[in-house]
Amino acid sequence: MAIDGEAARRIDREDLHADKRANATILIEKQRWVYKQYKFYTQQLQRAVGLIQDDDERKAVNYRYMQGYSYKETLLFFRHGLSGSTIRRKIAEGTESMANTLKLMGFFEQDAADY
């Protein structure tokens, strides 16, 4: 039981023993860094969705990806005259617009960041 507890407190597998106080400090700092990265990515994605010019494209991408609805559920939001293929095209064009916006923002260069 002591070995499991000792191994659970280690930050890296290379550590021979766990220093509870130092590892707790490192873990807290790492959690803050991860949250900061998450917050940055979320804000950039929301900004990119907001910059989609076409209203139907923006709504389709928002329902499908930002709010997490399935494709069928997204179709239900647009049953006022748009066909399934049109909605599929709106989602594809909206995601392309988002990708271009994110590329201009330098979003994809942030992936190389390490703690």
Side-chain angles (χ1 to χ4, degrees):
M1 187 68 141
I3 295 172
D4 291 335
E6 192 76 11
R9 289 189 295 257
R10 294 182 191 160
I11 296 295
D12 294 321
R13 293 186 185 271
E14 294 85 29
D15 290 341
L16 298 177
H17 68 286
D19 182 0
K20 288 169 48 174
R21 193 172 301 147
N23 287 352
T25 304
I26 293 169
L27 186 61
I28 289 170
E29 289 300 317
K30 190 169 186 177
Q31 287 174 340
R32 286 181 182 154
W33 181 82
V34 168
Y35 178 70
K36 184 179 172 185
Q37 292 296 106
Y38 163 78
K39 196 171 165 184
F40 170 77
Y41 287 138
T42 304
Q43 288 172 347
Q44 295 301 316
L45 289 171
Q46 289 173 345
R47 184 179 294 169
V49 169
L51 290 173
I52 296 174
Q53 296 293 321
D54 186 76
D55 190 44
D56 287 336
E57 288 177 15
R58 188 177 337 101
K59 285 180 184 177
V61 169
N62 189 26
Y63 287 134
R64 177 69 180 101
Y65 297 113
M66 300 305 284
Q67 295 183 24
Y69 290 110
S70 69
Y71 178 72
K72 287 183 180 183
E73 291 170 328
T74 303
L75 284 176
L76 294 175
F77 287 109
F78 290 95
R79 281 294 171 198
H80 59 74
L82 297 177
S83 67
S85 61
T86 302
I87 294 171
R88 185 176 287 119
R89 183 174 42 84
K90 296 282 187 188
I91 291 173
E93 290 172 355
T95 54
E96 183 179 352
S97 173
M98 273 184 69
N100 291 333
T101 300
L102 291 171
K103 191 187 315 183
L104 290 173
M105 289 179 176
F107 179 83
F108 299 108
E109 284 79 28
Q110 295 292 325
D111 283 344
D114 276 337
Y115 174 74

